[in-house]
Amino acid sequence: MSPHAPRALAAALLLGSAPLLAAPLDAALDESQRLAAEAKASQARIAQLDDASREMLAEYRNALQQAEALQDYNSQLRELVAAQRQELAGYQRQLDGIERTQEAVTPQMRRMVEVLGQFIAADLPFLPEERADRLAQLQELLPRADVSLAEKYRRILEAYQVESDYGRTLEAWRGELPGEAGARSVEFLRLGRAMLYYQTLDGHESGWWNPHSRSWQLLNGDARRPLHRAIAIARQEQAPTLLELPVRTLSQEAGQ
């Protein structure tokens, strides 16, 4: 046997076993790659689950915050509703009080208007149309449901105030004086509520209202000039000055 024969035999054995060794190695490599791919996929799924968990945790925390905010809001609403109920109860008590007040005040206001009408009828007959219109407006106002009780009362007091002011003023105006021969245009002069005079436009006739007889009476000629000056003063056409005007009282008339 040749000395190189053993080496040739070993080489042949190695070459013959190479395909047998390659097959398990390839399988091991494939398995390793498969396991690596599965591990990578598992890691990706774990990462997705972790992100989803974070999102769910954030949503849960937001839900908790919203729930706390809603609880606070509901608590505030309950307090607000309770306060509104108390306020409504107070309004109801006020309305009940207003109804009772209205029941008591309405007849009183009606009586005040009646007394005002009686006073105007018994007073000096000055500005009859203006005063009658004011009284008629009050009489129409009382039954109206669209006007508050306070407004009605204010209007009545306003009318009383106007009538009261007449007693402290001097006023002159031109108007019609009724008579048997027909109405005449004259100048009227009101001295507070004490006296009411008239004078014809030509100044030839003067008179005064007699509250006792409820009629006009003539004045003598001495009263014409001071009465003419008093009318000018009332119209602010002349500076105020001291005048002597005829004044009669009910007691003086009754004594005659």
Side-chain angles (χ1 to χ4, degrees), residues 63-100:
L64 286 179
Q65 292 177 354
Q66 291 179 2
E68 292 177 357
L70 287 174
Q71 288 179 354
D72 293 340
Y73 181 66
N74 289 334
S75 178
Q76 294 177 2
L77 284 181
R78 284 193 294 269
E79 293 176 357
L80 179 61
V81 169
Q84 289 178 342
R85 286 177 178 173
Q86 292 179 355
E87 189 172 359
L88 288 174
Y91 287 152
Q92 186 61 47
R93 289 192 297 271
Q94 292 179 16
L95 288 175
D96 295 339
I98 289 174
E99 291 179 357
R100 290 192 296 271

Side-chain angles (χ1 to χ4, degrees), residues 7-20:
R7 295 180 180 178
L9 179 59
L13 290 173
L14 291 172
L15 290 173
S17 62
L20 296 176

